Amino acid sequence: MGGGGNMSAPATKIEEKKNRLQRAPTSKPPFTIGDIKKAIPPHCFERSFIRSFSYLAQDLIVVFISYYIASTYFHLLPFPYSYLAWPVYWVVQGSVCAGIWFIAHECSHTAFSDYQWINDTIGFFLHSALLTPYFSWKYSHRRHHSNTNSLEHDENHVPKLKTKLRWYTKLYLDNSLARAFILVFTLTAGLPLYYAFNITGRPYDGFASHYYPYSPIYNDRERLQIYISDAGIIATFYLLYRVAVTQGITWLICIYGVPLLIWNGFVVLITTLHHAHPSLPHYDSSEWNWLRGALATVDRDYGVLNKVLHNITDTHVLHHLFSYIPHYHAMEATIAIKPLLGEYYQFDDTPFYKAMWRNFKDCLYVEKDEQGIFWFK
């Protein structure tokens, strides 16, 4: 970093490229979570309902304007402009709805306001409208934060050991076409399959599903709210059914279905790239502790999408340390902790489409090194 004035530009780029994939340190950090908290300006921990709601209102305004334009004017456009307009609508609507999904995610972490009932009410309605079972996901996601990068106890994005790889993994290991198919399938169907069947989630003995109140994911105190989550999803499906009856299934797919695929794809893409990276360690129970796990994630740069997605993309390390910091303070807090974290802070500016392709080639399974730490291979 410092003293780089004598280094040529090409050499600097090569060094940066190496650093992106350089393994993160796994030794005990020379700081505590208390030290990190002291480095953050106190106002970053303050939550404002009015300010949080203003970001939600901005997103909802964009969603309704986009919907109004598409439903009112697209059919009036001459060929081929109507066919060009729809993809623009899908990308805009899908991206903004992904931002709304992450606002509901903030509600689950009590980062939206100081009041739990407000957070849960808003989060429930937003996630239900986006076909996410709010309370079901909230509880499993909370356990992910409590056990990040623990091979035994992390709730999702749990990598497989080489010995546990499925037989069909070899089919796309060195086959670009097969890998592209698996990538598209993961981005489009991965999230619904995770909700329904706990795909990529922590292995359980019983049937694990975000829709099943007696799933082993949940304890007895949480089961009633799983029923509530299911009711929200059922209500959304019924509303979509009524829309399809009156407007037609093609209209529903164009207005809601394709954006649904895009915001689901963003959720899978973002969370995968945060937690699956060649530089990130995983730990078994003999090596894992909470701070080690929380630091084992990576920030990324999605360009203009950082703001659309409310900075979940480039402040995720902070989010795993203090999940209740609202997104509008997250960048300032990240800048504040980076000098303290030093080499324990991970950032990769590889374009997300290149990074996802790389992950499906280089992050298929983990193996144990001589120190007892597991790394992607």
Side-chain angles (χ1 to χ4, degrees), residues 323-356:
S323 59
Y324 50 91
I325 291 181
H327 72 270
Y328 41 83
H329 292 318
M331 184 55 68
E332 181 182 359
T334 294
I335 293 171
I337 66 174
K338 282 168 66 175
L340 177 63
L341 298 186
E343 63 180 349
Y344 288 86
Y345 173 78
Q346 298 297 305
F347 178 83
D348 189 347
D349 62 353
T350 303
F352 65 86
Y353 50 89
K354 290 184 179 180
M356 197 65 179

PDB file of all heavy atoms in Angstrom, residues 323-356:
ATOM      1  N   SER A 323     -24.767  -6.529  12.726  1.00  0.00           N
ATOM      2  CA  SER A 323     -25.858  -6.639  11.754  1.00  0.00           C
ATOM      3  C   SER A 323     -26.961  -5.626  11.978  1.00  0.00           C
ATOM      4  O   SER A 323     -27.812  -5.429  11.111  1.00  0.00           O
ATOM      5  CB  SER A 323     -26.446  -8.056  11.796  1.00  0.00           C
ATOM      6  OG  SER A 323     -26.939  -8.350  13.085  1.00  0.00           O
ATOM      7  N   TYR A 324     -26.978  -4.968  13.139  1.00  0.00           N
ATOM      8  CA  TYR A 324     -28.038  -4.005  13.444  1.00  0.00           C
ATOM      9  C   TYR A 324     -27.683  -2.579  13.015  1.00  0.00           C
ATOM     10  O   TYR A 324     -28.448  -1.652  13.260  1.00  0.00           O
ATOM     11  CB  TYR A 324     -28.374  -4.033  14.933  1.00  0.00           C
ATOM     12  CG  TYR A 324     -27.171  -3.932  15.856  1.00  0.00           C
ATOM     13  CD1 TYR A 324     -26.713  -2.698  16.307  1.00  0.00           C
ATOM     14  CD2 TYR A 324     -26.494  -5.077  16.271  1.00  0.00           C
ATOM     15  CE1 TYR A 324     -25.615  -2.605  17.147  1.00  0.00           C
ATOM     16  CE2 TYR A 324     -25.395  -4.988  17.114  1.00  0.00           C
ATOM     17  CZ  TYR A 324     -24.958  -3.753  17.544  1.00  0.00           C
ATOM     18  OH  TYR A 324     -23.861  -3.658  18.367  1.00  0.00           O
ATOM     19  N   ILE A 325     -26.523  -2.388  12.394  1.00  0.00           N
ATOM     20  CA  ILE A 325     -26.196  -1.066  11.836  1.00  0.00           C
ATOM     21  C   ILE A 325     -26.976  -0.891  10.539  1.00  0.00           C
ATOM     22  O   ILE A 325     -26.886  -1.722   9.638  1.00  0.00           O
ATOM     23  CB  ILE A 325     -24.692  -0.923  11.581  1.00  0.00           C
ATOM     24  CG1 ILE A 325     -23.934  -0.858  12.910  1.00  0.00           C
ATOM     25  CG2 ILE A 325     -24.380   0.315  10.742  1.00  0.00           C
ATOM     26  CD1 ILE A 325     -22.430  -0.688  12.761  1.00  0.00           C
ATOM     27  N   PRO A 326     -27.760   0.184  10.397  1.00  0.00           N
ATOM     28  CA  PRO A 326     -28.537   0.382   9.161  1.00  0.00           C
ATOM     29  C   PRO A 326     -27.635   0.671   7.970  1.00  0.00           C
ATOM     30  O   PRO A 326     -26.510   1.154   8.120  1.00  0.00           O
ATOM     31  CB  PRO A 326     -29.432   1.584   9.490  1.00  0.00           C
ATOM     32  CG  PRO A 326     -28.741   2.293  10.608  1.00  0.00           C
ATOM     33  CD  PRO A 326     -28.009   1.250  11.388  1.00  0.00           C
ATOM     34  N   HIS A 327     -28.140   0.380   6.786  1.00  0.00           N
ATOM     35  CA  HIS A 327     -27.303   0.459   5.590  1.00  0.00           C
ATOM     36  C   HIS A 327     -26.781   1.871   5.315  1.00  0.00           C
ATOM     37  O   HIS A 327     -25.707   2.031   4.743  1.00  0.00           O
ATOM     38  CB  HIS A 327     -28.092  -0.046   4.373  1.00  0.00           C
ATOM     39  CG  HIS A 327     -29.175   0.877   3.917  1.00  0.00           C
ATOM     40  ND1 HIS A 327     -30.468   0.814   4.387  1.00  0.00           N
ATOM     41  CD2 HIS A 327     -29.151   1.900   3.032  1.00  0.00           C
ATOM     42  CE1 HIS A 327     -31.199   1.731   3.800  1.00  0.00           C
ATOM     43  NE2 HIS A 327     -30.434   2.412   2.979  1.00  0.00           N
ATOM     44  N   TYR A 328     -27.525   2.892   5.738  1.00  0.00           N
ATOM     45  CA  TYR A 328     -27.095   4.258   5.443  1.00  0.00           C
ATOM     46  C   TYR A 328     -25.943   4.717   6.333  1.00  0.00           C
ATOM     47  O   TYR A 328     -25.389   5.797   6.120  1.00  0.00           O
ATOM     48  CB  TYR A 328     -28.278   5.239   5.529  1.00  0.00           C
ATOM     49  CG  TYR A 328     -29.223   5.009   6.687  1.00  0.00           C
ATOM     50  CD1 TYR A 328     -28.952   5.498   7.955  1.00  0.00           C
ATOM     51  CD2 TYR A 328     -30.403   4.302   6.489  1.00  0.00           C
ATOM     52  CE1 TYR A 328     -29.828   5.277   9.011  1.00  0.00           C
ATOM     53  CE2 TYR A 328     -31.288   4.075   7.531  1.00  0.00           C
ATOM     54  CZ  TYR A 328     -31.003   4.560   8.790  1.00  0.00           C
ATOM     55  OH  TYR A 328     -31.867   4.347   9.840  1.00  0.00           O
ATOM     56  N   HIS A 329     -25.573   3.922   7.321  1.00  0.00           N
ATOM     57  CA  HIS A 329     -24.370   4.188   8.114  1.00  0.00           C
ATOM     58  C   HIS A 329     -23.271   3.162   7.843  1.00  0.00           C
ATOM     59  O   HIS A 329     -22.160   3.298   8.361  1.00  0.00           O
ATOM     60  CB  HIS A 329     -24.688   4.146   9.611  1.00  0.00           C
ATOM     61  CG  HIS A 329     -25.555   5.257  10.094  1.00  0.00           C
ATOM     62  ND1 HIS A 329     -25.392   6.565   9.684  1.00  0.00           N
ATOM     63  CD2 HIS A 329     -26.612   5.262  10.966  1.00  0.00           C
ATOM     64  CE1 HIS A 329     -26.305   7.324  10.281  1.00  0.00           C
ATOM     65  NE2 HIS A 329     -27.053   6.565  11.047  1.00  0.00           N
ATOM     66  N   ALA A 330     -23.593   2.155   7.044  1.00  0.00           N
ATOM     67  CA  ALA A 330     -22.686   1.016   6.911  1.00  0.00           C
ATOM     68  C   ALA A 330     -21.380   1.375   6.220  1.00  0.00           C
ATOM     69  O   ALA A 330     -20.315   0.868   6.586  1.00  0.00           O
ATOM     70  CB  ALA A 330     -23.378  -0.118   6.164  1.00  0.00           C
ATOM     71  N   MET A 331     -21.432   2.231   5.209  1.00  0.00           N
ATOM     72  CA  MET A 331     -20.198   2.580   4.502  1.00  0.00           C
ATOM     73  C   MET A 331     -19.258   3.371   5.408  1.00  0.00           C
ATOM     74  O   MET A 331     -18.035   3.118   5.442  1.00  0.00           O
ATOM     75  CB  MET A 331     -20.521   3.375   3.227  1.00  0.00           C
ATOM     76  CG  MET A 331     -19.285   3.695   2.391  1.00  0.00           C
ATOM     77  SD  MET A 331     -18.304   2.241   1.949  1.00  0.00           S
ATOM     78  CE  MET A 331     -19.438   1.411   0.836  1.00  0.00           C
ATOM     79  N   GLU A 332     -19.795   4.327   6.151  1.00  0.00           N
ATOM     80  CA  GLU A 332     -18.968   5.096   7.078  1.00  0.00           C
ATOM     81  C   GLU A 332     -18.349   4.176   8.130  1.00  0.00           C
ATOM     82  O   GLU A 332     -17.155   4.309   8.463  1.00  0.00           O
ATOM     83  CB  GLU A 332     -19.807   6.174   7.766  1.00  0.00           C
ATOM     84  CG  GLU A 332     -19.012   7.044   8.737  1.00  0.00           C
ATOM     85  CD  GLU A 332     -19.849   8.079   9.458  1.00  0.00           C
ATOM     86  OE1 GLU A 332     -21.070   8.153   9.187  1.00  0.00           O
ATOM     87  OE2 GLU A 332     -19.285   8.820  10.299  1.00  0.00           O
ATOM     88  N   ALA A 333     -19.132   3.237   8.634  1.00  0.00           N
ATOM     89  CA  ALA A 333     -18.622   2.312   9.641  1.00  0.00           C
ATOM     90  C   ALA A 333     -17.566   1.382   9.053  1.00  0.00           C
ATOM     91  O   ALA A 333     -16.565   1.060   9.705  1.00  0.00           O
ATOM     92  CB  ALA A 333     -19.770   1.494  10.230  1.00  0.00           C
ATOM     93  N   THR A 334     -17.760   0.963   7.811  1.00  0.00           N
ATOM     94  CA  THR A 334     -16.766   0.104   7.146  1.00  0.00           C
ATOM     95  C   THR A 334     -15.441   0.825   6.995  1.00  0.00           C
ATOM     96  O   THR A 334     -14.365   0.270   7.270  1.00  0.00           O
ATOM     97  CB  THR A 334     -17.293  -0.348   5.771  1.00  0.00           C
ATOM     98  OG1 THR A 334     -18.426  -1.204   5.957  1.00  0.00           O
ATOM     99  CG2 THR A 334     -16.221  -1.105   4.999  1.00  0.00           C
ATOM    100  N   ILE A 335     -15.494   2.067   6.557  1.00  0.00           N
ATOM    101  CA  ILE A 335     -14.272   2.861   6.411  1.00  0.00           C
ATOM    102  C   ILE A 335     -13.567   3.018   7.752  1.00  0.00           C
ATOM    103  O   ILE A 335     -12.336   2.985   7.837  1.00  0.00           O
ATOM    104  CB  ILE A 335     -14.610   4.234   5.802  1.00  0.00           C
ATOM    105  CG1 ILE A 335     -15.097   4.062   4.346  1.00  0.00           C
ATOM    106  CG2 ILE A 335     -13.406   5.173   5.851  1.00  0.00           C
ATOM    107  CD1 ILE A 335     -15.653   5.325   3.732  1.00  0.00           C
ATOM    108  N   ALA A 336     -14.355   3.122   8.815  1.00  0.00           N
ATOM    109  CA  ALA A 336     -13.779   3.317  10.148  1.00  0.00           C
ATOM    110  C   ALA A 336     -13.058   2.066  10.657  1.00  0.00           C
ATOM    111  O   ALA A 336     -12.058   2.176  11.372  1.00  0.00           O
ATOM    112  CB  ALA A 336     -14.873   3.727  11.129  1.00  0.00           C
ATOM    113  N   ILE A 337     -13.555   0.881  10.306  1.00  0.00           N
ATOM    114  CA  ILE A 337     -12.958  -0.337  10.867  1.00  0.00           C
ATOM    115  C   ILE A 337     -11.849  -0.926   9.996  1.00  0.00           C
ATOM    116  O   ILE A 337     -11.058  -1.745  10.482  1.00  0.00           O
ATOM    117  CB  ILE A 337     -14.027  -1.425  11.124  1.00  0.00           C
ATOM    118  CG1 ILE A 337     -14.633  -1.931   9.812  1.00  0.00           C
ATOM    119  CG2 ILE A 337     -15.097  -0.893  12.067  1.00  0.00           C
ATOM    120  CD1 ILE A 337     -15.589  -3.101   9.993  1.00  0.00           C
ATOM    121  N   LYS A 338     -11.763  -0.530   8.747  1.00  0.00           N
ATOM    122  CA  LYS A 338     -10.772  -1.135   7.853  1.00  0.00           C
ATOM    123  C   LYS A 338      -9.334  -0.985   8.354  1.00  0.00           C
ATOM    124  O   LYS A 338      -8.560  -1.962   8.306  1.00  0.00           O
ATOM    125  CB  LYS A 338     -10.921  -0.573   6.439  1.00  0.00           C
ATOM    126  CG  LYS A 338     -12.075  -1.184   5.676  1.00  0.00           C
ATOM    127  CD  LYS A 338     -12.398  -0.438   4.397  1.00  0.00           C
ATOM    128  CE  LYS A 338     -11.289  -0.524   3.379  1.00  0.00           C
ATOM    129  NZ  LYS A 338     -11.671   0.100   2.096  1.00  0.00           N
ATOM    130  N   PRO A 339      -8.916   0.193   8.863  1.00  0.00           N
ATOM    131  CA  PRO A 339      -7.532   0.282   9.370  1.00  0.00           C
ATOM    132  C   PRO A 339      -7.270  -0.671  10.532  1.00  0.00           C
ATOM    133  O   PRO A 339      -6.172  -1.223  10.646  1.00  0.00           O
ATOM    134  CB  PRO A 339      -7.413   1.750   9.806  1.00  0.00           C
ATOM    135  CG  PRO A 339      -8.450   2.475   9.018  1.00  0.00           C
ATOM    136  CD  PRO A 339      -9.591   1.502   8.895  1.00  0.00           C
ATOM    137  N   LEU A 340      -8.252  -0.877  11.394  1.00  0.00           N
ATOM    138  CA  LEU A 340      -8.080  -1.783  12.522  1.00  0.00           C
ATOM    139  C   LEU A 340      -8.037  -3.243  12.063  1.00  0.00           C
ATOM    140  O   LEU A 340      -7.192  -4.026  12.521  1.00  0.00           O
ATOM    141  CB  LEU A 340      -9.216  -1.595  13.531  1.00  0.00           C
ATOM    142  CG  LEU A 340      -9.212  -2.538  14.742  1.00  0.00           C
ATOM    143  CD1 LEU A 340      -7.960  -2.316  15.590  1.00  0.00           C
ATOM    144  CD2 LEU A 340     -10.467  -2.331  15.581  1.00  0.00           C
ATOM    145  N   LEU A 341      -8.927  -3.607  11.145  1.00  0.00           N
ATOM    146  CA  LEU A 341      -8.958  -4.987  10.674  1.00  0.00           C
ATOM    147  C   LEU A 341      -7.716  -5.343   9.875  1.00  0.00           C
ATOM    148  O   LEU A 341      -7.247  -6.487   9.923  1.00  0.00           O
ATOM    149  CB  LEU A 341     -10.210  -5.234   9.825  1.00  0.00           C
ATOM    150  CG  LEU A 341     -11.571  -5.068  10.507  1.00  0.00           C
ATOM    151  CD1 LEU A 341     -12.685  -5.488   9.551  1.00  0.00           C
ATOM    152  CD2 LEU A 341     -11.653  -5.862  11.792  1.00  0.00           C
ATOM    153  N   GLY A 342      -7.190  -4.386   9.115  1.00  0.00           N
ATOM    154  CA  GLY A 342      -5.980  -4.636   8.342  1.00  0.00           C
ATOM    155  C   GLY A 342      -6.144  -5.817   7.401  1.00  0.00           C
ATOM    156  O   GLY A 342      -7.097  -5.882   6.617  1.00  0.00           O
ATOM    157  N   GLU A 343      -5.242  -6.786   7.477  1.00  0.00           N
ATOM    158  CA  GLU A 343      -5.281  -7.936   6.566  1.00  0.00           C
ATOM    159  C   GLU A 343      -6.457  -8.858   6.849  1.00  0.00           C
ATOM    160  O   GLU A 343      -6.757  -9.749   6.050  1.00  0.00           O
ATOM    161  CB  GLU A 343      -3.976  -8.714   6.667  1.00  0.00           C
ATOM    162  CG  GLU A 343      -3.701  -9.318   8.036  1.00  0.00           C
ATOM    163  CD  GLU A 343      -2.399 -10.090   8.083  1.00  0.00           C
ATOM    164  OE1 GLU A 343      -1.825 -10.320   7.002  1.00  0.00           O
ATOM    165  OE2 GLU A 343      -1.959 -10.459   9.193  1.00  0.00           O
ATOM    166  N   TYR A 344      -7.160  -8.655   7.950  1.00  0.00           N
ATOM    167  CA  TYR A 344      -8.349  -9.465   8.239  1.00  0.00           C
ATOM    168  C   TYR A 344      -9.571  -8.976   7.460  1.00  0.00           C
ATOM    169  O   TYR A 344     -10.609  -9.646   7.462  1.00  0.00           O
ATOM    170  CB  TYR A 344      -8.653  -9.452   9.738  1.00  0.00           C
ATOM    171  CG  TYR A 344      -7.672 -10.262  10.549  1.00  0.00           C
ATOM    172  CD1 TYR A 344      -6.473  -9.708  10.991  1.00  0.00           C
ATOM    173  CD2 TYR A 344      -7.925 -11.595  10.870  1.00  0.00           C
ATOM    174  CE1 TYR A 344      -5.555 -10.447  11.721  1.00  0.00           C
ATOM    175  CE2 TYR A 344      -7.022 -12.345  11.605  1.00  0.00           C
ATOM    176  CZ  TYR A 344      -5.841 -11.766  12.022  1.00  0.00           C
ATOM    177  OH  TYR A 344      -4.931 -12.519  12.744  1.00  0.00           O
ATOM    178  N   TYR A 345      -9.462  -7.816   6.841  1.00  0.00           N
ATOM    179  CA  TYR A 345     -10.553  -7.302   6.009  1.00  0.00           C
ATOM    180  C   TYR A 345     -10.360  -7.801   4.582  1.00  0.00           C
ATOM    181  O   TYR A 345      -9.294  -7.617   3.988  1.00  0.00           O
ATOM    182  CB  TYR A 345     -10.586  -5.774   6.022  1.00  0.00           C
ATOM    183  CG  TYR A 345     -11.592  -5.189   5.058  1.00  0.00           C
ATOM    184  CD1 TYR A 345     -12.947  -5.176   5.366  1.00  0.00           C
ATOM    185  CD2 TYR A 345     -11.189  -4.674   3.828  1.00  0.00           C
ATOM    186  CE1 TYR A 345     -13.883  -4.657   4.485  1.00  0.00           C
ATOM    187  CE2 TYR A 345     -12.110  -4.142   2.935  1.00  0.00           C
ATOM    188  CZ  TYR A 345     -13.458  -4.144   3.265  1.00  0.00           C
ATOM    189  OH  TYR A 345     -14.376  -3.640   2.382  1.00  0.00           O
ATOM    190  N   GLN A 346     -11.385  -8.429   4.030  1.00  0.00           N
ATOM    191  CA  GLN A 346     -11.309  -9.005   2.695  1.00  0.00           C
ATOM    192  C   GLN A 346     -12.183  -8.216   1.718  1.00  0.00           C
ATOM    193  O   GLN A 346     -13.349  -7.923   2.002  1.00  0.00           O
ATOM    194  CB  GLN A 346     -11.771 -10.466   2.726  1.00  0.00           C
ATOM    195  CG  GLN A 346     -10.918 -11.364   3.602  1.00  0.00           C
ATOM    196  CD  GLN A 346      -9.490 -11.453   3.099  1.00  0.00           C
ATOM    197  OE1 GLN A 346      -9.231 -11.791   1.942  1.00  0.00           O
ATOM    198  NE2 GLN A 346      -8.538 -11.144   3.973  1.00  0.00           N
ATOM    199  N   PHE A 347     -11.589  -7.888   0.565  1.00  0.00           N
ATOM    200  CA  PHE A 347     -12.309  -7.168  -0.488  1.00  0.00           C
ATOM    201  C   PHE A 347     -11.868  -7.714  -1.836  1.00  0.00           C
ATOM    202  O   PHE A 347     -10.680  -7.970  -2.049  1.00  0.00           O
ATOM    203  CB  PHE A 347     -12.035  -5.671  -0.424  1.00  0.00           C
ATOM    204  CG  PHE A 347     -12.722  -4.883  -1.509  1.00  0.00           C
ATOM    205  CD1 PHE A 347     -14.043  -4.492  -1.366  1.00  0.00           C
ATOM    206  CD2 PHE A 347     -12.056  -4.544  -2.681  1.00  0.00           C
ATOM    207  CE1 PHE A 347     -14.687  -3.777  -2.367  1.00  0.00           C
ATOM    208  CE2 PHE A 347     -12.688  -3.830  -3.687  1.00  0.00           C
ATOM    209  CZ  PHE A 347     -14.013  -3.446  -3.529  1.00  0.00           C
ATOM    210  N   ASP A 348     -12.816  -7.893  -2.737  1.00  0.00           N
ATOM    211  CA  ASP A 348     -12.513  -8.370  -4.085  1.00  0.00           C
ATOM    212  C   ASP A 348     -13.306  -7.528  -5.081  1.00  0.00           C
ATOM    213  O   ASP A 348     -14.534  -7.495  -5.030  1.00  0.00           O
ATOM    214  CB  ASP A 348     -12.884  -9.852  -4.219  1.00  0.00           C
ATOM    215  CG  ASP A 348     -12.393 -10.459  -5.532  1.00  0.00           C
ATOM    216  OD1 ASP A 348     -11.990  -9.701  -6.438  1.00  0.00           O
ATOM    217  OD2 ASP A 348     -12.417 -11.702  -5.658  1.00  0.00           O
ATOM    218  N   ASP A 349     -12.577  -6.848  -5.961  1.00  0.00           N
ATOM    219  CA  ASP A 349     -13.260  -5.992  -6.940  1.00  0.00           C
ATOM    220  C   ASP A 349     -13.437  -6.678  -8.297  1.00  0.00           C
ATOM    221  O   ASP A 349     -13.751  -6.016  -9.291  1.00  0.00           O
ATOM    222  CB  ASP A 349     -12.494  -4.675  -7.113  1.00  0.00           C
ATOM    223  CG  ASP A 349     -11.082  -4.888  -7.658  1.00  0.00           C
ATOM    224  OD1 ASP A 349     -10.641  -6.054  -7.771  1.00  0.00           O
ATOM    225  OD2 ASP A 349     -10.404  -3.883  -7.958  1.00  0.00           O
ATOM    226  N   THR A 350     -13.259  -7.990  -8.338  1.00  0.00           N
ATOM    227  CA  THR A 350     -13.530  -8.724  -9.570  1.00  0.00           C
ATOM    228  C   THR A 350     -14.983  -8.508  -9.979  1.00  0.00           C
ATOM    229  O   THR A 350     -15.882  -8.624  -9.143  1.00  0.00           O
ATOM    230  CB  THR A 350     -13.287 -10.235  -9.366  1.00  0.00           C
ATOM    231  OG1 THR A 350     -11.950 -10.445  -8.926  1.00  0.00           O
ATOM    232  CG2 THR A 350     -13.519 -11.001 -10.655  1.00  0.00           C
ATOM    233  N   PRO A 351     -15.262  -8.155 -11.240  1.00  0.00           N
ATOM    234  CA  PRO A 351     -16.661  -8.008 -11.672  1.00  0.00           C
ATOM    235  C   PRO A 351     -17.472  -9.238 -11.293  1.00  0.00           C
ATOM    236  O   PRO A 351     -17.006 -10.373 -11.417  1.00  0.00           O
ATOM    237  CB  PRO A 351     -16.542  -7.855 -13.192  1.00  0.00           C
ATOM    238  CG  PRO A 351     -15.182  -7.256 -13.401  1.00  0.00           C
ATOM    239  CD  PRO A 351     -14.312  -7.870 -12.333  1.00  0.00           C
ATOM    240  N   PHE A 352     -18.700  -9.013 -10.824  1.00  0.00           N
ATOM    241  CA  PHE A 352     -19.469 -10.104 -10.225  1.00  0.00           C
ATOM    242  C   PHE A 352     -19.731 -11.250 -11.200  1.00  0.00           C
ATOM    243  O   PHE A 352     -19.778 -12.408 -10.803  1.00  0.00           O
ATOM    244  CB  PHE A 352     -20.775  -9.585  -9.625  1.00  0.00           C
ATOM    245  CG  PHE A 352     -21.758  -9.013 -10.613  1.00  0.00           C
ATOM    246  CD1 PHE A 352     -22.652  -9.827 -11.284  1.00  0.00           C
ATOM    247  CD2 PHE A 352     -21.817  -7.637 -10.847  1.00  0.00           C
ATOM    248  CE1 PHE A 352     -23.565  -9.310 -12.192  1.00  0.00           C
ATOM    249  CE2 PHE A 352     -22.733  -7.111 -11.747  1.00  0.00           C
ATOM    250  CZ  PHE A 352     -23.602  -7.946 -12.426  1.00  0.00           C
ATOM    251  N   TYR A 353     -19.892 -10.938 -12.499  1.00  0.00           N
ATOM    252  CA  TYR A 353     -20.165 -12.010 -13.452  1.00  0.00           C
ATOM    253  C   TYR A 353     -18.933 -12.890 -13.648  1.00  0.00           C
ATOM    254  O   TYR A 353     -19.052 -14.117 -13.803  1.00  0.00           O
ATOM    255  CB  TYR A 353     -20.647 -11.429 -14.788  1.00  0.00           C
ATOM    256  CG  TYR A 353     -19.774 -10.324 -15.353  1.00  0.00           C
ATOM    257  CD1 TYR A 353     -18.708 -10.615 -16.194  1.00  0.00           C
ATOM    258  CD2 TYR A 353     -20.018  -8.989 -15.037  1.00  0.00           C
ATOM    259  CE1 TYR A 353     -17.901  -9.608 -16.707  1.00  0.00           C
ATOM    260  CE2 TYR A 353     -19.228  -7.974 -15.541  1.00  0.00           C
ATOM    261  CZ  TYR A 353     -18.170  -8.286 -16.368  1.00  0.00           C
ATOM    262  OH  TYR A 353     -17.369  -7.284 -16.868  1.00  0.00           O
ATOM    263  N   LYS A 354     -17.742 -12.295 -13.594  1.00  0.00           N
ATOM    264  CA  LYS A 354     -16.515 -13.090 -13.662  1.00  0.00           C
ATOM    265  C   LYS A 354     -16.304 -13.884 -12.375  1.00  0.00           C
ATOM    266  O   LYS A 354     -15.880 -15.041 -12.403  1.00  0.00           O
ATOM    267  CB  LYS A 354     -15.307 -12.180 -13.914  1.00  0.00           C
ATOM    268  CG  LYS A 354     -15.248 -11.566 -15.292  1.00  0.00           C
ATOM    269  CD  LYS A 354     -13.959 -10.765 -15.464  1.00  0.00           C
ATOM    270  CE  LYS A 354     -13.867 -10.168 -16.860  1.00  0.00           C
ATOM    271  NZ  LYS A 354     -12.612  -9.375 -17.043  1.00  0.00           N
ATOM    272  N   ALA A 355     -16.622 -13.242 -11.242  1.00  0.00           N
ATOM    273  CA  ALA A 355     -16.427 -13.900  -9.955  1.00  0.00           C
ATOM    274  C   ALA A 355     -17.338 -15.111  -9.814  1.00  0.00           C
ATOM    275  O   ALA A 355     -16.927 -16.157  -9.286  1.00  0.00           O
ATOM    276  CB  ALA A 355     -16.682 -12.910  -8.824  1.00  0.00           C
ATOM    277  N   MET A 356     -18.584 -15.004 -10.276  1.00  0.00           N
ATOM    278  CA  MET A 356     -19.505 -16.123 -10.155  1.00  0.00           C
ATOM    279  C   MET A 356     -19.037 -17.296 -11.009  1.00  0.00           C
ATOM    280  O   MET A 356     -19.090 -18.454 -10.582  1.00  0.00           O
ATOM    281  CB  MET A 356     -20.914 -15.694 -10.564  1.00  0.00           C
ATOM    282  CG  MET A 356     -22.016 -16.631 -10.111  1.00  0.00           C
ATOM    283  SD  MET A 356     -22.151 -16.688  -8.300  1.00  0.00           S
ATOM    284  CE  MET A 356     -23.525 -17.808  -8.087  1.00  0.00           C
TER     285      MET A 356
END
